[in-house]
């Protein structure tokens, strides 16, 4: 396979502009800004099949094509660097070790959609990545890679970093825009979509860090070479974030569509402490759990969607046989309750009640009817809100009940967590 | 809001004023500078008191409620003082699988405070936070700006020792 994002991962000081340029960095601009028209870049990205790496998996080129054409309109590109999905830690690594790759991708994307200003909306907590990006942007301005008439192409671009302040919801693109406007990060009703009415009411493109980091490769090497990796409709590579009960946690770049089994047992070294696998969340907290008999599934957008889960950010969280799935659902329900912005009643109330019921069940004070009530709440908030947070919140609840109903029944029957007892004895 | 905080005045330092001028240049609308200015104000004042929020409102031509509603929405903004070192321990799934809960108990016991509290000498505040995007190096905590990863009780001991002697 050919690495696209982690190609120079072992190169020391890659974040230094001279080192980056020495490795062939910023070369895509010569082709992109001088030989290709914006529409031609959009066309290459469309044909490459690249799908958004922030979770939704929407085709990037098609999304860019929604932006109204023409020079008279002010347009914006926002880089979504608000990585907050539990299980995901890829964008942070990309920004920390290779900030110029992101800037190069931002330049090409801005040129393609006709944006003269781009904002990087970075998670407030990521202070280290923020400082690295800040320095990288300063260096890029000094070298004439940002600002006026980039590489004598006639294209002007300013890039500014905007720090968030702690809110998972700001990873949702319209909440990100609201936050960037200085408001509470609450998602907007769509339509209108940001491509028509986004930041300050202007056409706006919001793209994830990993998505943008793929663009220089696509422009330099063409759509065919990009699409030669992965599977049909699921092209290219993906950074898989491996965490939980595995021997070798970390980020791994591999083609889309590799078997989950290979990821867990070969790439990440298998389950810790010689234990057996119990459950896997394949795409971050919002993705439904899978069971050991599903590990031959292919890790791509379509295969996981067909199995009722999703690739999401490819944050793979592995859990071994000693893990209590009621506790896991409780932990994730607390997260979603904490992060619900409160705009939509089903989500604001539903995430609260799911958390309350799960607390009761885990504490051993629940009854069988509480599991039915939990499912009832979950089924009644899904699909009834402005954004996808509520759908994410119900995924771990519904999938844990579906696959691990026995864990719930045992909590009711034994009036407590059976796993706590087992672990206390061990 | 307590009366004593109402009486206190707040003004940005000269250095911050220069930074504010630069920040304002990033946006076509002033209001976009609100979160950056709250970060700056919190850095200078330690937390966002009512006088601080009123001052930020004045600088940006906003109403106080426009500032307050944002300050209360985002988890990184503190409406009351925190210790010199704010310890934020992640207790989301990957960290909890790797022992975050016992680490939190250990920290509470070691510092003699509960979650959300500050030690009497104003050195440490403990908070639990949701995912810090560091799941591959769990368990993790953030102390002020810095991440501390792959934590063990020994690492926590060494860190607290070092911070205490600072």
């Amino acid at each position: 396979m050919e690495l696209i994002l982690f190609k120079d991962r072992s190169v020391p000081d890659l974040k230094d502009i001279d080192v980056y340029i020495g490795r062939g960095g910023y070369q895509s601009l010569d082709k992109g800004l001088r030989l290709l028209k914006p529409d031609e870049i959009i066309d290459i990205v469309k044909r490459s099949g690249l799908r958004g790496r922030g979770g939704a998996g929407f085709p990037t080129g098609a999304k860019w094509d929604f932006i109204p054409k023409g020079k008279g309109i002010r347009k914006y590109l926002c880089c979504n660097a608000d990585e907050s999905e539990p299980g995901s830690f890829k964008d942070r690594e990309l920004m920390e070790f290779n900030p110029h790759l992101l800037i190069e991708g931002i330049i090409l994307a801005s040129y393609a959609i006709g944006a003269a200003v781009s904002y990087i909306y970075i998670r407030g907590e990521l202070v280290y990545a923020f400082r690295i990006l800040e320095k990288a942007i300063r260096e890029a301005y000094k070298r004439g890679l940002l600002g006026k008439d980039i590489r004598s192409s006639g294209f002007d671009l300013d890039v500014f970093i905007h720090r968030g302040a702690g809110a998972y919801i700001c990873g949702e693109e319209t909440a990100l825009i609201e936050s960037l406007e200085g408001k509470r990060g609450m998602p907007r009703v769509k339509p209108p979509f940001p491509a028509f009415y986004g930041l300050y009411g202007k056409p706006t493109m919001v793209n994830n860090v990993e998505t943008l980091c793929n663009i220089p490769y696509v422009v330099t090497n063409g759509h065919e070479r990009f699409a030669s990796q992965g599977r049909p409709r699921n092209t290219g590579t993906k950074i898989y974030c491996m965490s939980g009960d595995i021997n070798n946690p970390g980020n791994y770049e591999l083609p889309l569509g590799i078997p989950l089994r290979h990821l867990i047992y070969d790439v990440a070294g298998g389950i810790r402490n010689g234990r057996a696998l119990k459950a896997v969340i394949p795409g971050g907290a919002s993705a439904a759990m899978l069971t050991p008999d599903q590990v031959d599934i292919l890790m791509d957008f379509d295969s996981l969607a067909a199995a009722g889960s999703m690739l999401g950010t490819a944050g793979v969280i592995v859990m071994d046989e000693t893990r209590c799935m009621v506790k896991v659902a409780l932990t994730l329900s607390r997260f979603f309750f904490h992060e619900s912005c409160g705009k939509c009643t089903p989500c604001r109330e539903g995430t609260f009640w799911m958390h309350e019921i799960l607390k009761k069940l885990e504490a051993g004070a629940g009854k069988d009817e509480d599991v039915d009530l939990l499912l009832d709440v979950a089924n009644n908030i899904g699909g009834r809100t402005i954004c996808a947070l509520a759908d994410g919140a119900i995924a771990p609840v519904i999938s844990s009940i579906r696959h691990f109903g026995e864990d719930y029944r045992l909590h009711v029957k034994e009036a407590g967590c059976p796993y706590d007892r087992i672990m206390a004895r061990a | 809001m307590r009366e004593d905080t109402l009486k206190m005045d707040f003004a940005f330092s000269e250095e911050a004023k220069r930074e504010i001028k630069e920040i304002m240049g990033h946006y076509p609308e002033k209001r976009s500078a609100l979160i950056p200015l709250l970060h700056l104000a919190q850095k200078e004042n330690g937390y966002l008191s009512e006088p601080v929020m009123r001052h930020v409102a004045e600088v940006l031509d906003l109403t106080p409620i426009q500032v307050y509603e944002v300050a209360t929405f985002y988890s990184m903004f503190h409406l009351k003082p925190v210790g010199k070192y704010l310890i934020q321990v992640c207790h989301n799934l990957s960290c909890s699988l790797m022992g975050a809960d016992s680490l939190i108990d250990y920290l509470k016991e070691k510092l003699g405070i509960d979650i959300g509290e500050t030690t009497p000498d104003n050195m440490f505040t403990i908070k639990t936070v949701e995912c810090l995007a560091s799941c591959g190096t769990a368990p993790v905590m953030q102390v002020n700006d810095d991440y501390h990863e792959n934590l063990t009780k020994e690492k926590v001991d060494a860190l607290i020792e070092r911070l205490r002697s600072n």
Side-chain angles (χ1 to χ4, degrees), chain A residues 278-282 287-294 297 304 307-310 319 323 325-326 371 375 394-409 419:
Chain A
K278 179 166 183 177
V280 195
I281 292 175
M289 294 175 196
L290 302 175
T291 52
D293 61 344
Q294 290 176 292
I297 197 161
L304 282 159
S309 187
M310 64 174 187
M319 289 156 277
R323 302 303 183 178
M325 289 301 126
V326 179
V371 182
L375 265 182
I394 66 173
V397 171
I398 294 178
S399 61
S400 66
I401 296 174
R402 179 178 300 153
H403 297 311
F404 306 100
E406 189 57 24
D407 277 11
Y408 283 87
R409 279 188 287 278
Y419 295 89

Side-chain angles (χ1 to χ4, degrees), chain A residues 119 162 180 184 200 334, chain B residues 26-27 32 69 74 91 94:
Chain A
Y119 294 102
H162 185 95
L180 195 41
R184 290 183 152 210
Y200 312 120
R334 184 200 61 224
Chain B
H26 296 177
Y27 312 101
S32 278
E69 67 174 12
Y74 297 93
H91 64 156
S94 297

Side-chain angles (χ1 to χ4, degrees), chain A residues 5-24:
Chain A
L5 305 159
F6 282 167
K7 179 170 67 87
D8 292 325
R9 198 185 195 187
S10 58
V11 175
D13 298 322
L14 190 65
K15 51 185 174 290
D16 184 292
I17 196 163
D18 288 316
V19 176
Y20 183 71
I21 289 172
R23 300 290 303 175

Side-chain angles (χ1 to χ4, degrees), chain A residues 87 89 92 119 123 125-126 131 160 162 164-166 179-180 182-185 200 243 323 327 334-335, chain B residues 26-27 31-32 34 39 69 72-76 91-92 94 97 101 130-131 133-136 142 145 147:
Chain A
F89 48 98
R92 177 178 159 228
Y119 294 102
R123 241 192 111 160
E125 290 89 343
L126 304 183
R131 287 184 188 138
F160 303 114
H162 185 95
S179 181
L180 195 41
K183 301 169 193 162
R184 290 183 152 210
Y200 312 120
S243 73
R323 302 303 183 178
K327 175 86 193 299
R334 184 200 61 224
F335 165 73
Chain B
H26 296 177
Y27 312 101
R31 189 172 179 176
S32 278
L34 177 53
H39 275 305
E69 67 174 12
T72 51
F73 185 82
Y74 297 93
S75 65
M76 285 177 74
H91 64 156
N92 209 295
S94 297
L97 293 173
D101 295 338
E130 299 300 347
C131 191
S134 195
C135 319
Q142 186 168 21
D145 288 347
Y147 275 47

